[in-house]
Amino acid sequence: MPNSRILIIVAALAGVVFLVIAGVYFVEPAKSLPSFFPGHDPAMTGHHTKHGIAAVVVALACFAFAWFQSGPKTASA
């Protein structure tokens, strides 16, 4: 398996993981977040919308990276 193929798979899986993390930030209030998530606050009842948006942006960047890496390779002259 070529090295670039492994990189594409890892980037796509990272994108999926970041989408799941974004979903957790949008759905769970700050007091219900896992303790290892940034923004966990046992006294806060609001949601961390900015953290969720940032996770979506990182997921889209991972998907874009995987897409551009999977494109055709140009031949050098």
Side-chain angles (χ1 to χ4, degrees):
M1 183 179 267
N3 199 14
S4 65
R5 181 68 72 191
I6 294 172
L7 192 61
I8 292 167
I9 293 170
V10 168
L13 287 176
V16 170
V17 168
F18 278 109
L19 279 180
V20 169
I21 290 172
V24 170
Y25 273 122
F26 287 135
V27 172
E28 295 293 330
K31 67 179 182 179
S32 298
L33 288 174
S35 60
F36 57 88
F37 270 39
H40 171 75
D41 186 4
M44 187 176 171
T45 59
H47 294 274
H48 283 293
T49 307
K50 291 180 188 175
H51 286 87
I53 292 170
V56 168
V57 169
V58 172
L60 292 175
C62 288
F63 289 138
F65 176 79
W67 182 26
F68 284 120
Q69 287 296 313
S70 67
K73 306 296 181 218
T74 59
S76 58

